[in-house]
Amino acid sequence: MIDLQKSKAAFEEARKFMPGGVNSPVRSYPHMGCPPPFIASAKGSHITDIDGNTYIDYVGSWGPMILGHAHPAVISAICKAAENSTSYGAPTLKETEIAELIHSVYPSIEKIRMVNSGTEATMSALRAARGYTGRDKILKFEGCYHGHGDSLLVKAGSGAATFGKPDSAGVTKGTAKDTLVTPYNDIPAFKAIMDAEGDEIAAVIVEPVAGNMGCVLPVPGFLEALREETAKHGTVLIFDEVMCGFRTSSHGAQSFYHIHPDMTCLGKIIGGGLPAAAYGGRKEIMACIAPDGSVYQAGTLSGNPLAVTAGIETIRQMMNIPDLDKKLAEKTSALLEGWKESADKAGVPLICHQSGSMFGIFFSEKDVLNYQDSCEANAAQFKAWFLSMLDQHVYLAPSPFETLFMSWAHTDEDIERSIVASRKAMEEAAKATTGVKDATVNFMTLKMNVEFEEGADAKAVMQDVLKNCKKVEDDCEIFL
């Protein structure tokens, strides 16, 4: 097994001073059975931990590092900007430059406001939509993550749609009550809720390509239905392209799918690896934002000169690479084809999804179209796959609900090494199937201890039981 002794000690020390030892929950490697590697450095397509292990990196800081880590032009631009100061809290020419640059890439963004995180971007966009429409309700899709703003930390309960209930402690029912939730990719369910509530809904917010239930693509007609229904009811359509922006294509998912949203949220790549995000859209909506309008939003570090500089340089470097989208997509396809071949050889059912240079896999026999499908994928096989790949120095996201990213820095050798590693990893995944004897099921407030016959697929049995329930008021989780 890979040596992570220094990382383990660092993790134990970090836990004394930070919740879970991390500053973002997924970094703690929950349920993976190993400590998270503590990172010392990264360059190009590789990342190195404090134990001296170097990995091929397909996390890419969760998306921003599309050029690869420590790109020389980006680092040079940041260093040069830092010589003048790290922050001013005042207007700069660079802010206008990045605004013009983003508008050239995303024409639907007629005016833009820089912020520091995707969470700020989405919650500010929703506030703008509410101010513009004079309505309170918003609609999101189950499994789409839009940051940790209170009104967005809800997910579906029973039925096709529901008034939101808090999905996190500390979020009041009053805050969540105006958030409606409906399944991703379910066009009839969406139309039904718009027919019933559309004239009261300020905004519909969606990841046009979902990246937080794994990488899940929109079915044909889904995004078109969102545009048609929101236009009919005077509802603001918000594309959260914090993750898929510049990834599905250089001009975003909205360009790829030919949908013109009212507002767009961006992040990750527009900061070049530094904290930066933005929201923007139609002029008349953005005119509501202070100081022009009455919707207040502000930030001490918004438009930070280092982050803006890194973003400008990253986007310009991307624009200077001929056929970047095509080449990144080809690299991603080659990797997934290799992984699928390894899975087939090992007898492991595998679904591969790709949207440009973002991608993901599901250990599932059926295609994954929504959050429920994603939840039904084989978590035990994912864990075995993940640990084997990590042991072979391939750095992946430690959760089946996260998305992976290709970078310009990944070489053919990186991809071939990752495919070779996948052969052993899929063999390990093949061993992690049935054979569960005991299971505990948490169903609302009921707990059942169930003993299964040897060889029975416990999770499948209990899922069949739940399918026979006529009404489910709460989310059901199956713990094996």
Side-chain angles (χ1 to χ4, degrees), residues 327-382:
K327 292 173 181 176
L328 284 175
E330 288 173 348
K331 290 183 181 188
T332 306
S333 296
L335 179 68
L336 288 178
E337 287 170 8
W339 285 0
K340 184 66 168 68
E341 184 177 335
S342 297
D344 290 345
K345 187 175 181 179
V348 175
L350 191 73
I351 300 295
C352 301
H353 283 180
Q354 174 186 354
S355 182
S357 59
M358 60 184 284
F359 62 101
I361 61 173
F362 302 90
F363 290 89
S364 174
E365 294 183 355
K366 69 174 186 178
D367 199 5
V368 175
L369 303 178
N370 53 45
Y371 179 66
Q372 183 59 40
D373 291 343
S374 181
C375 289
E376 292 173 4
N378 193 312
Q381 289 185 327
F382 175 85

Side-chain angles (χ1 to χ4, degrees), residues 7-325:
S7 290
K8 181 179 179 182
F11 188 42
E12 291 172 354
E13 181 70 11
R15 289 175 66 89
K16 298 176 184 177
F17 301 99
M18 293 180 280
V22 293
N23 283 310
S24 191
V26 74
R27 300 179 193 173
S28 68
Y29 278 37
H31 317 304
M32 287 301 106
C34 73
F38 270 53
I39 304 306
S41 65
K43 180 70 175 178
S45 60
H46 294 83
I47 194 166
T48 302
D49 66 28
I50 61 175
D51 293 279
N53 302 302
T54 296
Y55 312 83
I56 301 170
D57 177 22
Y58 293 106
V59 177
S61 191
W62 308 97
M65 314 313 294
I66 193 167
L67 297 175
H69 291 282
H71 189 280
V74 177
I75 296 300
S76 176
I78 293 170
C79 291
K80 185 176 180 180
E83 292 176 357
N84 295 324
S85 184
T86 57
S87 182
Y88 310 118
T92 65
L93 294 174
K94 288 289 186 182
E95 292 169 276
T96 305
E97 184 178 349
I98 197 169
E100 292 175 342
L101 185 59
I102 290 173
H103 172 68
S104 72
V105 178
Y106 283 81
S108 70
I109 302 179
E110 297 172 350
K111 281 195 173 183
I112 193 169
R113 171 64 63 85
M114 296 296 296
V115 290
N116 298 291
S117 69
T119 293
E120 278 187 79
T122 55
M123 72 179 191
S124 300
L126 288 170
R127 184 182 300 162
R130 282 171 162 150
Y132 175 71
T133 62
R135 304 172 184 177
D136 294 334
K137 295 178 183 177
I138 63 170
L139 187 150
K140 70 178 289 287
F141 295 89
E142 183 183 13
C144 286
Y145 176 72
H146 304 289
H148 58 267
D150 284 1
S151 64
L152 291 166
L153 284 178
V154 298
K155 63 182 180 181
S158 62
T162 181
F163 282 99
K165 63 167 188 158
D167 195 38
S168 168
V171 178
T172 67
K173 293 180 180 179
T175 298
K177 70 180 178 62
D178 288 326
T179 301
L180 306 173
V181 187
T182 194
Y184 185 79
N185 271 334
D186 190 333
I187 298 172
F190 170 70
K191 287 186 175 181
I193 198 169
M194 290 301 290
D195 287 342
E197 308 277 355
D199 291 340
E200 300 176 33
I201 296 174
V204 170
I205 186 168
V206 66
E207 289 182 281
V209 176
N212 290 281
M213 47 181 143
C215 181
V216 179
L217 310 182
V219 297
F222 177 62
L223 298 179
E224 290 83 355
L226 303 194
R227 179 65 285 178
E228 180 181 342
E229 290 294 318
T230 51
K232 183 196 305 182
H233 292 279
T235 300
V236 176
L237 177 60
I238 304 172
F239 270 18
D240 178 353
E241 296 212 39
V242 169
M243 185 176 291
C244 65
F246 300 91
R247 284 285 182 179
T248 297
S249 78
S250 292
H251 296 272
Q254 57 194 258
S255 173
F256 184 85
Y257 290 104
H258 307 291
I259 305 293
H260 199 89
D262 300 304
M263 298 189 75
T264 301
C265 298
L266 297 172
K268 298 187 184 291
I269 286 172
I270 69 166
L274 295 185
Y279 66 100
R282 287 163 40 199
K283 289 181 180 179
E284 59 268 31
I285 299 175
M286 295 303 290
C288 295
I289 306 298
D292 288 349
S294 59
V295 175
Y296 191 75
Q297 181 270 313
T300 299
L301 296 175
S302 295
N304 175 268
L306 302 191
V308 167
T309 296
I312 290 170
E313 191 60 37
T314 296
I315 296 170
R316 293 209 181 281
Q317 288 293 322
M318 291 173 63
M319 295 171 72
N320 289 334
I321 299 173
D323 299 320
L324 175 65
D325 290 348

